[in-house]
Amino acid sequence: MKVSDRAPEYVRAIAPYVGGKPIEELARELHLDPGTIIKLASNENPRGASPKVQAAIAAAVSELTRYPDGNAFALKAALASRLGVAAEQIVLGNGSNDVLELVAQAFLRPGDHVVFSQYAFIVYPLATQARGARGIEVPAKDYGHDLDAMRSAITSETRVVFIANPNNPTGTWLPGHVVERFIDSVPRDVIVVLDEAYNEFLDPSEQAESTAWVSTHPNLVVSHTFSKAHGLAALRVGYGVMNPEVADLLNRVRQPFNVNALAQAAALAALDDVQYVEDSRRLNREGMRQLESALRELGVRFLPSRGNFVMIEVGDASAVYQALLRDGVIVRPVANYNLPTWLRVTVGTTSENERFLAALARSIASSGGTARAH
Ligand SMILES: Cc1ncc(COP(=O)(O)O)c(C=O)c1O
């Protein structure tokens, strides 16, 4: 028997996560100048990190020989005061992805049920499978979460429910009162993870008071990230807000130093830079309008999105993806979500969006228009 055969069958069966193609990789493959490539494939912030964040990182560099503060006192205190919760309610993660994994690690045994929606963020099934738990995928409604059907899928075997709002890759979104009603209906011994990675791209009037719901819902975990609107994807820092007892459990299974010192310093500065987030939201809204109106003109169907990305239907998505790559434009295929005719495109800067749209128009023209409306 090979040593790899000793790993649990459910681990061997995992289909690895496939991220957006890195710029350097495409440059190597097609002998392109990396400077000419644009990447709209990982829902990153196209603006570059804020100068305040860069200064905070530079200042923290002198302490590189020290371990970080494993309890991240300063960052948790700042988050607690911003969100109006206690520091004991916050668990930091190496990206919010880490928080999702920590929930799975703390609560799931092999065979337990985990409920999530069809087309929901792919890390939910991955984290489920890595524990030998059973994913219950609930059919989507108009590509988004069907909360009534998800409620009906919860049984005595369900331990965790994942909801992404807005959802990636579909960009679908549900108003706060609808989500709150759903959370209210879930038995209090079932964890509900409300993943709000794209929350800051919503108009402030649409951002739910979800972290406040934790006080009345001890089974609720709200996760947020610094990767998107705050522009810190490379540093990997996110957090969950939850009942202190749940936080205590997650902290037991968390690596002691899961958020590095530069990430902590950067997140602290990013939290303070309210203007950066506002500007990111505005740029995203303008970029989304730019993409939507051009896509309409091209006759390309898209799903209205509340995130910093949009899903477009292009027929043979794999062929269009390859054609865009040859044009130096990286977007994201979503065939792994069982959406083989769609591509997900991150909103870039105005000029990046223009380049993408021009490349898309070329690829449609060269395929004889087969990528047009479906
Ligand atoms: C819905 C959703 N949740 C969580 C994450 C994880 O992001 P991070 O680990 O960078 O915080 C992502 C990243 O794309 C996402 O789309």
Side-chain angles (χ1 to χ4, degrees):
M1 180 179 271
K2 287 190 299 188
V3 68
S4 54
D5 292 336
R6 291 288 185 198
E9 167 279 326
Y10 53 81
V11 170
R12 285 183 280 136
I14 293 174
Y17 179 85
V18 182
K21 190 185 240 341
I23 287 177
E24 294 294 336
E25 188 178 300
L26 180 64
R28 276 196 307 276
E29 286 172 0
L30 297 188
H31 309 290
L32 297 173
D33 171 0
T36 66
I37 296 174
I38 61 165
K39 182 178 173 217
L40 303 174
S42 300
N43 300 346
E44 293 150 341
N45 195 317
R47 300 176 54 213
S50 99
K52 288 180 185 166
V53 162
Q54 296 185 37
I57 292 175
V61 160
S62 61
E63 292 299 314
L64 282 186
T65 57
R66 309 253 172 238
Y67 280 95
D69 174 357
N71 276 322
F73 177 85
L75 179 54
K76 278 194 198 171
L79 282 168
S81 110
R82 174 67 59 88
L83 300 168
V85 300
E88 296 70 41
Q89 290 182 257
I90 297 169
V91 174
L92 291 175
N94 190 253
S96 61
N97 200 138
D98 194 20
V99 177
L100 308 176
E101 291 283 347
L102 290 174
V103 170
Q105 208 178 327
F107 283 93
L108 296 180
R109 296 180 184 82
D112 286 344
H113 288 196
V114 177
V115 171
F116 45 78
S117 174
Q118 181 187 23
Y119 309 136
F121 184 42
I122 208 156
V123 164
Y124 312 153
L126 286 176
T128 300
Q129 196 177 348
R131 271 88 206 168
R134 181 162 160 217
I136 307 294
E137 187 184 281
V138 177
K141 189 162 89 186
D142 299 331
Y143 294 93
H145 292 57
D146 181 346
L147 292 185
D148 290 337
M150 288 180 72
R151 177 65 193 84
S152 303
I154 296 172
T155 67
S156 58
E157 293 177 284
T158 309
R159 297 289 167 270
V160 177
V161 179
F162 285 106
I163 301 173
N165 200 40
N167 182 47
N168 168 24
T170 56
T172 50
W173 171 79
L174 295 165
H177 67 274
V178 175
V179 178
E180 190 180 14
R181 202 184 319 127
F182 170 79
I183 294 166
D184 239 0
S185 76
V186 176
R188 292 293 189 267
D189 62 344
V190 174
I191 291 281
V192 180
V193 178
L194 177 57
D195 176 348
E196 296 186 329
Y198 300 95
N199 184 55
E200 293 86 353
F201 292 112
L202 295 171
D203 189 84
S205 65
E206 292 180 332
Q207 292 175 15
E209 299 281 315
S210 49
T211 52
W213 303 339
V214 171
S215 62
T216 45
H217 298 84
N219 55 331
L220 175 62
V221 173
V222 179
S223 65
H224 285 174
T225 184
F226 284 95
S227 299
K228 310 293 179 184
H230 292 95
L232 300 185
L235 287 172
R236 317 301 305 122
V237 52
Y239 61 93
V241 179
M242 62 206 82
N243 183 279
E245 281 179 30
V246 176
D248 180 48
L249 288 169
L250 266 57
N251 277 322
R252 290 177 202 214
V253 293
R254 163 178 86 76
Q255 278 186 49
F257 303 107
N258 63 335
V259 180
N260 73 71
L262 299 186
Q264 289 186 33
L268 200 51
L271 196 61
D272 230 21
D273 199 346
V274 178
Q275 191 60 46
Y276 179 89
V277 175
E278 263 177 39
D279 291 346
S280 298
R281 183 184 308 124
R282 186 171 34 79
L283 182 74
N284 185 61
R285 195 175 48 230
E286 290 165 4
M288 189 68 88
R289 283 201 199 117
Q290 179 191 1
L291 290 175
E292 287 178 349
S293 78
L295 289 168
R296 276 194 200 100
E297 259 173 49
L298 284 171
V300 174
R301 181 185 173 201
F302 61 90
L303 291 186
S305 166
R306 299 298 179 117
N308 65 338
F309 54 87
V310 61
M311 253 184 25
I312 61 173
E313 193 172 27
V314 292
D316 185 351
S318 168
V320 176
Y321 171 65
Q322 294 298 336
L324 292 174
L325 287 182
R326 287 192 293 276
D327 249 335
V329 177
I330 310 174
V331 299
R332 188 72 157 264
V334 281
N336 55 340
Y337 282 89
N338 224 352
L339 293 163
T341 60
W342 296 81
L343 292 171
R344 192 195 69 192
V345 184
T346 303
V347 178
T349 60
T350 309
S351 60
E352 287 175 333
N353 298 337
E354 271 165 15
R355 256 198 70 191
F356 155 72
L357 289 164
L360 180 68
R362 272 193 294 279
S363 117
I364 291 174
S366 70
S367 67
T370 52
R372 292 177 73 92
H374 292 266

